[in-house]
Amino acid sequence: MCNLYSLTTAQSAIADLVNLWRDDTGNLPPLTGIYPDYPAPVITQTPEGRVMQMMRWGMPSPAFVLKGKKTDKGVTNVRNTASPHWRRWLGPAHRCVVPFTSFSEYQTVKGEKPKTVWFAPTGPQKTLFFAGIWTEWTSVRTLKEGETTNNLFAFLTVEPNAVVAPIHPKAMPVILRSPEAIAHWLDAPVEAALKLQRPFADDGLEVVEGAV
């Protein structure tokens, strides 16, 4: 599963790619290491237009996962969209897109320490988008914070393409590139939108030396 990604694109470039109506994130530095529960820019569709805001990475966990636990660190990657736990957030009001410039997966080789391998877009467009879901939720993320209310997000995953599979054969994020795909994910009925839960084109990604 993807638990580390980066976003180093200028905010103005992101705004142009998604026809942003409002940016509520403030002045963002390059984010070379976004980990679970970190705040990150997320784009949602409102009646007025598309808004970019900061959310914490990790949707509410299913109840069975939390049995006996005092905190909920959240679920970062969502695969089973048929689950009742996730279905409630698949409508347009809870869909989002998450900009990124590279993401990583762990490569595990028997007898060796896991290795972080980074993937980045090929071609002139260096910012792509994860297809995500989001919600406002009250929970205890950490004992130190106690109960807080946050906007939370996660992104969908799917079987890996030919570039990711040799490194991480189980899954890869659902990735969107074109304005049409982004609009479809944000606006289409659920059944039509979920057709985008498919591997990204093999020629659209390449392995890179590190976060970009």
Side-chain angles (χ1 to χ4, degrees):
M1 85 177 67
C2 175
N3 275 327
L4 173 61
Y5 71 96
S6 69
L7 176 65
T8 58
T9 312
Q11 288 166 260
S12 58
I14 299 171
D16 290 342
L17 286 170
V18 297
N19 192 24
L20 203 64
W21 174 63
R22 194 178 75 229
D23 184 351
D24 292 340
T25 60
N27 294 319
L28 285 175
L31 303 172
T32 56
I34 301 171
Y35 293 88
D37 207 36
Y38 276 35
V42 174
I43 297 156
T44 61
Q45 182 74 52
T46 73
E48 294 81 12
R50 294 172 183 170
V51 175
M52 187 161 69
Q53 59 185 295
M54 302 299 285
M55 298 188 188
R56 289 172 78 159
W57 187 14
M59 286 285 283
S61 301
F64 74 89
V65 174
L66 298 177
K67 192 173 182 179
K69 295 182 179 179
K70 295 181 179 180
T71 62
D72 180 9
K73 296 182 179 180
V75 176
T76 56
N77 293 215
V78 175
R79 180 73 173 267
N80 182 16
T81 52
S83 164
H85 181 75
W86 302 120
R87 279 207 308 265
R88 59 180 138 170
W89 294 310
L90 292 178
H94 287 279
R95 285 189 225 137
C96 61
V97 294
V98 183
F100 74 95
T101 47
S102 61
F103 71 94
S104 73
E105 299 283 8
Y106 276 121
Q107 181 180 30
T108 55
V109 178
K110 190 174 181 179
E112 299 180 10
K113 288 185 177 180
K115 177 185 177 183
T116 301
V117 179
W118 285 88
F119 303 89
T122 59
Q125 183 176 324
K126 298 305 180 184
T127 305
L128 302 180
F129 300 85
F130 299 128
I133 55 176
W134 76 281
T135 192
E136 182 182 80
W137 197 256
T138 300
S139 61
V140 179
R141 306 286 286 188
T142 67
L143 290 176
K144 183 179 180 181
E145 285 182 299
E147 188 174 82
T148 58
T149 299
N150 304 277
N151 286 340
L152 308 175
F153 77 96
F155 44 75
L156 272 57
T157 60
V158 70
E159 61 269 18
N161 66 11
V163 177
V164 177
I167 306 301
H168 191 261
K170 292 183 178 180
M172 71 175 293
V174 174
I175 297 172
L176 311 174
R177 176 168 49 195
S178 71
E180 294 78 14
I182 291 167
H184 192 74
W185 175 249
L186 291 175
D187 298 331
V190 175
E191 186 175 345
L194 286 177
K195 291 181 179 179
L196 293 171
Q197 193 178 14
R198 61 195 181 206
F200 196 58
D202 294 342
D203 61 359
L205 292 174
E206 62 183 351
V207 174
V208 293
E209 290 297 319
V212 296

